[in-house]
Each structure stands twice: as structure tokens, then as C-alpha cells.
Amino acid sequence: MQPKYLAFTLWTLICCNITACGAGAANVQTTQSETAPTVDNGVPADYRVIIYGNSHSAQLGAMLKVLVTSQLPNSTIDTVTISGRFLDEIVAVTGNLEQLQQNSWSHAIFQGQKYSQSGTVYYSTDAARHLIATAKANNVMPILFPEHPQRGNPAEADRVYNLHQSISQQEPSCVAPVGLVWNRVLAVMPTAKLYNADGNHASYAGNMLTAMTFYEIITGELADAIPFTSALELDQQQQALFGQIVTQVLAEHPACPIP
């Protein structure tokens, strides 16, 4: 099976195995999905992506537009970002959830799940699960976005990724291995400037690395097959390394595994 058909096939299998999740918080009802998204990544497509999240995903929509328009001339992409601090707060705002239900989105990206940096505090995942279920009920492919780790704390990437994997086990969803990609790049190229000065938020290069991860997940096109282009504003070595590692990590940690 060729890679660009893999995401759609796996996603179809996921949706055929959807099960009801547990009860949510009092103000968040988690519903079981009844219909499966039909997103065929094997042919040119028009992508409509809605992104829920905070400052860590604020640049993602623009970066995805650069990637799709520069690499897939037969495709179009529109993105909308719904901003807030955390997913539970975003869902609590009247109208935010309705935007997911009222438009013909192809993909929905959810970033901003609360988590404990020490790993000792539990935060509810009801909002994330509710968003996933709502997306699937509206034929939208949901993708969870675990944030990259803070500078100097690579273990945080595994902790946050595993948290989102646990959410996906309760309410099946794709999970982007963003932190794992960042860790691999920094292991190979320690001088890569992926962070802003605060050591928390991404630089341009870091945001593009994250966007390349979502580009492969959404389109099914391999990041390591992207020819060098000045549109990405990376030097040739960076772009080649980023693409190679994104594709490697996604091969090792598929975003949409068979349940």
C-alpha cells in the first residue's frame, strides 16, 4: 500500500471501531460518533481545517497554507483558528463548538489539553473527547496536537504524547507525534533554533517543523519528498532534515493507528 493512501485507510478502520466513551463533566456531554469522516488522501483535495488551541497553534494555519499551496497546486486549503487558553475553556464559550458543527470541515486539530508538567496532577480530558466525538459525528477527521516539550525537557514530549494517546484510546482520534519529532530533530541537530527566547514557544523553524508533521498527516504526502523551496523559509539542510525526520517518526508512530 502506498503511503499516501495509508492515512485514509487507517482512519476508516478507526471509525469502524468507534465505541462510546464514559460520561463527561456536568457541562460537557460526550456523544458517540455515528458517522465516519470520508477524507480521501489519495487524490487532490480541497482541505478545510479548523484549529482549536492557544498560542502554540496560532501559526499552524498559515504554515499549512504555505505547505499545501507550494506543494499541491491542484489542491486548495482554508483554515480557521479558534483561540483560547485551554480546550475546556474554549468549549465553554458559546458558539465555539457550533463552528465545528456548522461548516464542512475536512479536518479538525485540537491543541490545548491541560496537563501537569510534573506528571502528578490529573486534569479532565472531557472537553477533548467531546470535541473529537463532535468532529466525527460531523464527518470531520480529528487530530490531537500534543505540544512540543519546553527547552531542555525532552521527557515532557513523551509525557504529553502519552496523555493524548490515552485520550485517543477512549475516543478514537489521530494523534500527531509533534514532541517526538522535535526530540528527534534536536538529537540530530542540537543547534537547530526551534524555540523562541522564552524556551517555550516555537520559532519560525519550530512552527514549520510542526506544520510539516500535520501536512503529512492531513494530505498523506510524505514530508521527506518535499523538494527544496524558498517558500518554507528554511535553509536546504534544515528542510531536508525536517522532512526526513517527520516521515521517519510518523512511520514509527503512525498518527492514525489501527485500534
Side-chain angles (χ1 to χ4, degrees), residues 14-86:
I14 286 175
C15 292
C16 289
N17 287 275
I18 293 170
T19 58
C21 66
N27 63 338
V28 178
Q29 288 186 333
T30 305
T31 58
Q32 180 181 3
S33 308
E34 296 181 352
T35 56
T38 53
V39 181
D40 188 347
N41 291 329
V43 297
D46 296 323
Y47 302 104
R48 287 180 47 77
V49 184
I50 187 167
I51 302 166
Y52 288 78
N54 54 41
S55 55
H56 289 294
S57 55
Q59 302 302 316
L60 181 56
M63 297 284 189
L64 284 173
K65 285 185 179 180
V66 170
L67 284 160
V68 170
T69 56
S70 66
Q71 301 304 311
L72 305 176
N74 293 324
S75 297
T76 62
I77 180 168
D78 292 309
T79 68
V80 168
T81 299
I82 309 298
S83 299
R85 290 198 310 165
F86 301 106

Side-chain angles (χ1 to χ4, degrees), residues 74 96 198 210 232:
N74 293 324
N96 282 349
D198 63 6
T210 295
L232 305 192

Side-chain angles (χ1 to χ4, degrees), residues 135-146:
K136 291 185 295 188
N138 287 275
N139 281 350
V140 183
M141 182 175 180
I143 310 171
L144 290 175
F145 177 174

Side-chain angles (χ1 to χ4, degrees), residues 184-208:
R184 186 76 59 86
V185 167
L186 290 170
V188 175
M189 184 185 284
T191 58
K193 296 181 179 178
L194 302 184
Y195 293 95
N196 277 338
D198 63 6
N200 181 21
H201 292 89
S203 65
Y204 176 88
N207 278 317
M208 183 55 73

